[in-house]
Amino acid sequence: MSFEKNSFKVVKKKRLQKSEFNVECNIPVDGEINKIFSVCHTAMVENVEVLSGVVNYNGNIDFCILYEASNGEILTNNYSCPFSSKIEDEKITVGDKVQVEVEVVDFSIDSATNSNIKINCLLMQKGVIISCYDIETIDTNDEDICSKKEEIYLSTFIGEASEVFTATSEVSIKEPVKKVILCDTSVSVKNVECGNNFVSVTGEVIGRLLYLTENDRYETSYINENFKEEVELEGVTRNSVAEAFVNIKRNQVKCDVVEQDRGVIVKLDIPVCLKVCAFEEKPCSVIRDIYSCREDIEISTESFDMTKELNQDFFETKIDGTLNLGEEHPRVDKLMFVAGTNLTISNSYIQNGELYVEGVAKANVVYLNDEENSLHSVTMEVPFVVSDKASVTCDNPEISISAVLYDVDVIAKKGRDLYFDGKLKIHARYDCDEICAVITSANLTGDTIERDCSVELIYAKSGMEAWDIAKQFKVREEVLMIQNPEVVFPLAEDTNVVVYYQKTN
């Protein structure tokens, strides 16, 4: 047989179309609610089922609701609201790996009674398909067939792994504390590295505690804990590239208050869900061009595209904004605390080597009005556009952004002007599609090449390679070069090249 069939695997990422859906959550409460100050929310996908043309999945929306009871006490209600949905797309096939992400883009409190809070959430779903497929190619050991090989780098998918680990933190408070009202935590990735059969992920768990002192003051303490976690994944090497996804199960965070001689220590156990996907570029030798010295060949080529994992960027930046309350809100006589924060990323793009990230940060500000002697809350919305240098160099990369908001501070001036100041931690992942082509099949036509002369003079043009001339006249490249030892390829100028044909009986 003149040709042998070979195949190799490549990986391709495909983005699923974004879409929105609604989830109604009924959250049980004990006692009568006087006023709701803030609603913090985090949506997380728990289970994914991949079928032909559809991905079914389910998860939970973790709520942290801060409210005032009928007796004036400030309370927190933590609740997980289950949801399920699906993404339909003809590109989805059984065996694909699908990464589904869900985000709460808006919500409304439909009702609040002494037994139930009804919240209607608008969720946005998006996903990425990781497909592995075979590309066919050929090889040959036939002495009459000349092949020109080239080494290409194929992007392959190694696999995925996940685990849940507990990040611990201790916050020391140098005064007596009546109770911890709110524990708001987030997690971000700072770096991902690969070793032999493992992926190492470093990052930060950040957050804040809102508590009430014995002097009836509302105070805030901040959490900032670094972590380094290794996830076992067979087949990973130091040359691999991995991406990591992290989430906190907010409603499973444990908060214990330990009294000390002077103040308290708040001990936190924070469950972090970590998932990694690993890829690697591997060299592969393929035939780029081919011809026969004795027969004509019909060849077929096929182009294919694959996704290459590129660099990741991590940067921190500040954002700020203002809000004038207007006459529809009572004036601010004393700022009590910032109750909760939410963050939405709306767009990201690269321009002139800079990564731009657009979004909206939200903070619920609780304040006291002396005239009514009551607490009120207002939501500050802060649109932002931030940028930093991007490490990616390919054109039109796919960009994935995860971000957390922390160290939020709000001050009030003149009773109606609120000034917002906060920080963002942004983690950007890039990947690019690369299009390649290979010869997938070749067939000899059976037409024998007949020579009617023993020598031929070829007028070769400047820039031609020995391979180009040899292929044109159906001789081996090394024979051509031996017969023309004084000729240097590629040709610097138009040159006469001689080919001597061996006569056969």
Side-chain angles (χ1 to χ4, degrees):
M1 180 180 290
S2 297
F3 304 103
E4 297 177 356
K5 287 282 189 180
N6 291 326
S7 65
F8 51 80
K9 285 189 178 291
V10 296
V11 63
K12 178 70 174 69
K13 280 187 175 181
K14 307 166 192 173
R15 258 61 183 184
L16 296 171
Q17 187 174 359
K18 297 179 181 179
S19 60
E20 296 179 343
F21 63 98
N22 288 288
V23 174
E24 183 181 281
C25 297
N26 291 286
I27 303 171
V29 293
D30 293 327
E32 186 177 346
I33 297 174
N34 186 35
K35 189 179 299 182
I36 295 177
F37 293 128
S38 72
V39 177
C40 294
H41 47 69
T42 302
M44 186 171 68
V45 175
E46 298 280 358
N47 301 294
V48 177
E49 179 188 31
V50 181
L51 303 175
S52 179
V54 64
V55 175
N56 298 313
Y57 69 92
N58 59 61
N60 289 287
I61 308 172
D62 285 351
F63 288 101
C64 180
I65 302 172
L66 193 70
Y67 65 96
E68 183 183 56
S70 57
N71 61 0
E73 187 178 5
I74 306 297
L75 300 174
T76 303
N77 191 334
N78 294 301
Y79 185 77
S80 289
C81 173
F83 69 88
S84 61
S85 185
K86 64 182 179 179
I87 303 177
E88 295 180 294
D89 195 299
E90 61 182 10
K91 294 180 291 187
I92 302 170
T93 60
V94 177
D96 288 343
K97 303 295 183 182
V98 181
Q99 176 70 33
V100 179
E101 295 182 66
V102 176
E103 178 184 0
V104 179
V105 294
D106 199 6
F107 71 91
S108 61
I109 302 174
D110 292 349
S111 64
T113 67
N114 59 0
S115 61
N116 180 74
I117 301 173
K118 182 183 291 186
I119 299 180
N120 193 291
C121 292
L122 178 63
L123 275 66
M124 181 184 70
Q125 61 182 7
K126 57 183 179 180
V128 175
I129 309 171
I130 301 176
S131 298
C132 299
Y133 57 99
D134 291 320
I135 301 297
E136 290 191 347
T137 186
I138 61 171
D139 202 357
T140 182
N141 293 316
D142 194 320
E143 292 183 356
D144 292 326
I145 295 175
C146 302
S147 61
K148 186 177 184 179
K149 291 192 173 183
E150 180 182 85
E151 189 173 73
I152 62 175
Y153 280 84
L154 304 174
S155 184
T156 61
F157 178 63
I158 299 173
E160 63 181 12
S162 59
E163 67 173 40
V164 178
F165 68 93
T166 300
T168 60
S169 180
E170 291 188 359
V171 179
S172 179
I173 301 174
K174 302 301 183 182
E175 61 179 320
V177 171
K178 278 187 177 180
K179 65 177 179 178
V180 174
I181 298 173
L182 178 68
C183 178
D184 187 13
T185 55
S186 300
V187 62
S188 66
V189 172
K190 296 181 69 173
N191 191 37
V192 183
E193 295 181 349
C194 294
N196 293 325
N197 295 318
F198 72 89
V199 178
S200 176
V201 181
T202 59
E204 288 180 288
V205 174
I206 59 177
R208 62 192 183 89
L209 294 174
L210 176 65
Y211 58 92
L212 182 66
T213 71
E214 283 196 349
N215 296 324
D216 290 329
R217 296 194 322 273
Y218 294 98
E219 299 287 352
T220 299
S221 288
Y222 290 97
I223 304 161
N224 192 319
E225 293 292 338
N226 294 318
F227 69 84
K228 182 176 182 179
E229 194 71 14
E230 292 185 355
V231 182
E232 293 183 3
L233 182 54
E234 187 175 354
V236 174
T237 71
R238 295 184 184 276
N239 295 323
S240 304
V241 177
E243 56 186 7
F245 308 88
V246 288
N247 288 287
I248 288 178
K249 293 188 174 183
R250 289 194 179 188
N251 288 343
Q252 294 183 21
V253 174
K254 293 182 179 179
C255 178
D256 294 325
V257 179
V258 180
E259 294 186 1
Q260 303 288 304
D261 292 337
R262 296 181 180 179
V264 300
I265 292 179
V266 181
K267 296 183 177 182
L268 298 169
D269 290 334
I270 305 166
V272 180
C273 300
L274 171 60
K275 179 180 179 180
V276 297
C277 298
F279 307 82
E280 188 163 323
E281 288 189 9
K282 297 181 178 180
C284 180
S285 181
V286 298
I287 293 177
R288 181 60 67 192
D289 201 0
I290 193 170
Y291 65 91
S292 171
C293 297
R294 293 185 175 274
E295 301 178 53
D296 288 334
I297 298 181
E298 293 180 350
I299 64 173
S300 299
T301 62
E302 181 181 329
S303 62
F304 65 93
D305 56 348
M306 56 186 172
T307 300
K308 292 200 170 184
E309 294 294 307
L310 299 174
N311 293 339
Q312 304 180 47
D313 287 327
F314 175 85
F315 67 93
E316 300 182 32
T317 187
K318 294 182 178 181
I319 58 174
D320 55 52
T322 60
L323 173 68
N324 182 275
L325 290 182
E327 296 301 323
E328 66 273 17
H329 293 281
R331 63 174 283 115
V332 178
D333 290 309
K334 183 180 180 182
L335 195 68
M336 304 301 290
F337 51 82
V338 177
T341 57
N342 294 307
L343 178 68
T344 301
I345 302 297
S346 58
N347 191 26
S348 61
Y349 57 92
I350 293 177
Q351 182 175 309
N352 298 325
E354 293 275 318
L355 169 66
Y356 289 83
V357 180
E358 300 176 356
V360 178
K362 297 181 181 181
N364 298 104
V365 182
V366 178
Y367 64 92
L368 177 67
N369 176 261
D370 289 339
E371 183 178 351
E372 298 180 4
N373 192 28
S374 60
L375 293 177
H376 301 268
S377 67
V378 63
T379 301
M380 292 191 70
E381 295 191 1
V382 181
F384 62 83
V385 180
V386 297
S387 66
D388 204 331
K389 187 177 180 180
S391 62
V392 64
T393 56
C394 72
D395 296 329
N396 302 316
E398 289 287 351
I399 307 170
S400 299
I401 300 292
S402 57
V404 295
L405 178 65
Y406 71 109
D407 278 4
V408 172
D409 187 30
V410 177
I411 62 173
K413 293 183 179 180
K414 298 180 181 179
R416 296 204 170 275
D417 294 325
L418 298 178
Y419 295 83
F420 172 100
D421 181 82
K423 298 177 183 177
L424 291 178
K425 293 181 184 286
I426 293 178
H427 179 218
R429 305 185 303 273
Y430 313 103
D431 52 66
C432 290
D433 287 342
E434 183 174 299
I435 299 177
C436 298
V438 294
I439 296 174
T440 56
S441 66
N443 296 301
L444 297 172
T445 63
D447 299 327
T448 303
I449 300 170
E450 296 184 1
R451 308 292 186 186
D452 57 2
C453 61
S454 60
V455 62
E456 189 169 0
L457 182 65
I458 302 168
Y459 182 70
K461 293 184 179 181
S462 172
M464 292 187 74
E465 296 277 3
W467 172 270
D468 303 323
I469 301 170
K471 180 181 179 181
Q472 182 178 347
F473 291 92
K474 302 292 191 293
V475 297
R476 298 191 71 84
E477 184 180 14
E478 58 268 26
V479 172
L480 179 72
M481 297 180 73
I482 291 172
Q483 294 175 352
N484 296 269
E486 76 286 355
V487 178
V488 178
F489 297 95
L491 299 178
E493 57 184 12
D494 295 347
T495 306
N496 289 325
V497 178
V498 178
V499 178
Y500 300 92
Y501 299 118
Q502 182 180 359
K503 284 289 186 179
T504 58
N505 294 327

PDB file of all heavy atoms in Angstrom, residues 35 330 333 368-376:
ATOM      1  N   LYS A  35     -38.555  46.234  57.085  1.00  0.00           N
ATOM      2  CA  LYS A  35     -37.906  46.833  55.928  1.00  0.00           C
ATOM      3  C   LYS A  35     -36.741  45.954  55.491  1.00  0.00           C
ATOM      4  O   LYS A  35     -35.985  45.435  56.320  1.00  0.00           O
ATOM      5  CB  LYS A  35     -37.388  48.226  56.291  1.00  0.00           C
ATOM      6  CG  LYS A  35     -36.877  49.061  55.137  1.00  0.00           C
ATOM      7  CD  LYS A  35     -36.426  50.432  55.637  1.00  0.00           C
ATOM      8  CE  LYS A  35     -37.601  51.180  56.272  1.00  0.00           C
ATOM      9  NZ  LYS A  35     -37.206  52.534  56.733  1.00  0.00           N
ATOM     10  N   PRO A 330     -35.353  60.342  52.132  1.00  0.00           N
ATOM     11  CA  PRO A 330     -35.004  61.122  53.329  1.00  0.00           C
ATOM     12  C   PRO A 330     -33.513  61.435  53.328  1.00  0.00           C
ATOM     13  O   PRO A 330     -32.695  60.679  52.799  1.00  0.00           O
ATOM     14  CB  PRO A 330     -35.375  60.182  54.485  1.00  0.00           C
ATOM     15  CG  PRO A 330     -36.327  59.194  53.899  1.00  0.00           C
ATOM     16  CD  PRO A 330     -35.935  59.027  52.476  1.00  0.00           C
ATOM     17  N   ASP A 333     -28.547  61.631  57.799  1.00  0.00           N
ATOM     18  CA  ASP A 333     -28.016  62.296  58.983  1.00  0.00           C
ATOM     19  C   ASP A 333     -26.860  61.520  59.587  1.00  0.00           C
ATOM     20  O   ASP A 333     -25.969  62.094  60.201  1.00  0.00           O
ATOM     21  CB  ASP A 333     -29.131  62.483  60.025  1.00  0.00           C
ATOM     22  CG  ASP A 333     -30.157  63.517  59.562  1.00  0.00           C
ATOM     23  OD1 ASP A 333     -29.743  64.623  59.176  1.00  0.00           O
ATOM     24  OD2 ASP A 333     -31.347  63.184  59.551  1.00  0.00           O
ATOM     25  N   LEU A 368     -29.206  56.575  58.682  1.00  0.00           N
ATOM     26  CA  LEU A 368     -30.191  57.020  59.679  1.00  0.00           C
ATOM     27  C   LEU A 368     -30.686  58.411  59.308  1.00  0.00           C
ATOM     28  O   LEU A 368     -29.899  59.301  58.965  1.00  0.00           O
ATOM     29  CB  LEU A 368     -29.566  57.053  61.065  1.00  0.00           C
ATOM     30  CG  LEU A 368     -30.451  57.568  62.208  1.00  0.00           C
ATOM     31  CD1 LEU A 368     -31.612  56.605  62.480  1.00  0.00           C
ATOM     32  CD2 LEU A 368     -29.607  57.771  63.467  1.00  0.00           C
ATOM     33  N   ASN A 369     -32.001  58.569  59.405  1.00  0.00           N
ATOM     34  CA  ASN A 369     -32.608  59.883  59.251  1.00  0.00           C
ATOM     35  C   ASN A 369     -33.168  60.324  60.606  1.00  0.00           C
ATOM     36  O   ASN A 369     -34.019  59.642  61.185  1.00  0.00           O
ATOM     37  CB  ASN A 369     -33.731  59.834  58.204  1.00  0.00           C
ATOM     38  CG  ASN A 369     -34.462  61.164  58.085  1.00  0.00           C
ATOM     39  OD1 ASN A 369     -35.539  61.342  58.651  1.00  0.00           O
ATOM     40  ND2 ASN A 369     -33.864  62.102  57.359  1.00  0.00           N
ATOM     41  N   ASP A 370     -32.646  61.431  61.137  1.00  0.00           N
ATOM     42  CA  ASP A 370     -33.032  61.881  62.476  1.00  0.00           C
ATOM     43  C   ASP A 370     -34.478  62.341  62.541  1.00  0.00           C
ATOM     44  O   ASP A 370     -35.160  62.151  63.554  1.00  0.00           O
ATOM     45  CB  ASP A 370     -32.114  63.025  62.927  1.00  0.00           C
ATOM     46  CG  ASP A 370     -30.717  62.528  63.244  1.00  0.00           C
ATOM     47  OD1 ASP A 370     -30.566  61.318  63.501  1.00  0.00           O
ATOM     48  OD2 ASP A 370     -29.768  63.347  63.221  1.00  0.00           O
ATOM     49  N   GLU A 371     -34.954  62.950  61.482  1.00  0.00           N
ATOM     50  CA  GLU A 371     -36.315  63.490  61.500  1.00  0.00           C
ATOM     51  C   GLU A 371     -37.344  62.380  61.704  1.00  0.00           C
ATOM     52  O   GLU A 371     -38.292  62.528  62.466  1.00  0.00           O
ATOM     53  CB  GLU A 371     -36.599  64.240  60.197  1.00  0.00           C
ATOM     54  CG  GLU A 371     -37.973  64.907  60.168  1.00  0.00           C
ATOM     55  CD  GLU A 371     -38.186  65.685  58.877  1.00  0.00           C
ATOM     56  OE1 GLU A 371     -37.220  65.836  58.097  1.00  0.00           O
ATOM     57  OE2 GLU A 371     -39.319  66.144  58.672  1.00  0.00           O
ATOM     58  N   GLU A 372     -37.141  61.258  61.016  1.00  0.00           N
ATOM     59  CA  GLU A 372     -38.058  60.129  61.157  1.00  0.00           C
ATOM     60  C   GLU A 372     -37.577  59.135  62.203  1.00  0.00           C
ATOM     61  O   GLU A 372     -38.300  58.202  62.541  1.00  0.00           O
ATOM     62  CB  GLU A 372     -38.219  59.416  59.814  1.00  0.00           C
ATOM     63  CG  GLU A 372     -38.810  60.286  58.708  1.00  0.00           C
ATOM     64  CD  GLU A 372     -38.945  59.526  57.403  1.00  0.00           C
ATOM     65  OE1 GLU A 372     -38.649  58.318  57.390  1.00  0.00           O
ATOM     66  OE2 GLU A 372     -39.364  60.146  56.412  1.00  0.00           O
ATOM     67  N   ASN A 373     -36.317  59.318  62.647  1.00  0.00           N
ATOM     68  CA  ASN A 373     -35.684  58.401  63.605  1.00  0.00           C
ATOM     69  C   ASN A 373     -35.808  56.961  63.115  1.00  0.00           C
ATOM     70  O   ASN A 373     -36.249  56.061  63.842  1.00  0.00           O
ATOM     71  CB  ASN A 373     -36.310  58.544  64.992  1.00  0.00           C
ATOM     72  CG  ASN A 373     -35.475  57.814  66.053  1.00  0.00           C
ATOM     73  OD1 ASN A 373     -34.257  57.673  65.902  1.00  0.00           O
ATOM     74  ND2 ASN A 373     -36.118  57.342  67.103  1.00  0.00           N
ATOM     75  N   SER A 374     -35.396  56.762  61.842  1.00  0.00           N
ATOM     76  CA  SER A 374     -35.530  55.439  61.246  1.00  0.00           C
ATOM     77  C   SER A 374     -34.378  55.190  60.278  1.00  0.00           C
ATOM     78  O   SER A 374     -33.722  56.127  59.802  1.00  0.00           O
ATOM     79  CB  SER A 374     -36.869  55.316  60.506  1.00  0.00           C
ATOM     80  OG  SER A 374     -36.958  56.288  59.481  1.00  0.00           O
ATOM     81  N   LEU A 375     -34.160  53.903  60.012  1.00  0.00           N
ATOM     82  CA  LEU A 375     -33.126  53.512  59.072  1.00  0.00           C
ATOM     83  C   LEU A 375     -33.709  53.401  57.665  1.00  0.00           C
ATOM     84  O   LEU A 375     -34.855  52.971  57.473  1.00  0.00           O
ATOM     85  CB  LEU A 375     -32.526  52.163  59.472  1.00  0.00           C
ATOM     86  CG  LEU A 375     -31.733  52.124  60.779  1.00  0.00           C
ATOM     87  CD1 LEU A 375     -31.266  50.694  61.057  1.00  0.00           C
ATOM     88  CD2 LEU A 375     -30.534  53.060  60.714  1.00  0.00           C
ATOM     89  N   HIS A 376     -32.894  53.786  56.688  1.00  0.00           N
ATOM     90  CA  HIS A 376     -33.293  53.702  55.290  1.00  0.00           C
ATOM     91  C   HIS A 376     -32.125  53.127  54.490  1.00  0.00           C
ATOM     92  O   HIS A 376     -30.982  53.130  54.947  1.00  0.00           O
ATOM     93  CB  HIS A 376     -33.663  55.083  54.734  1.00  0.00           C
ATOM     94  CG  HIS A 376     -34.788  55.735  55.469  1.00  0.00           C
ATOM     95  ND1 HIS A 376     -36.106  55.599  55.089  1.00  0.00           N
ATOM     96  CD2 HIS A 376     -34.786  56.520  56.575  1.00  0.00           C
ATOM     97  CE1 HIS A 376     -36.874  56.280  55.925  1.00  0.00           C
ATOM     98  NE2 HIS A 376     -36.101  56.843  56.846  1.00  0.00           N
TER      99      HIS A 376
END
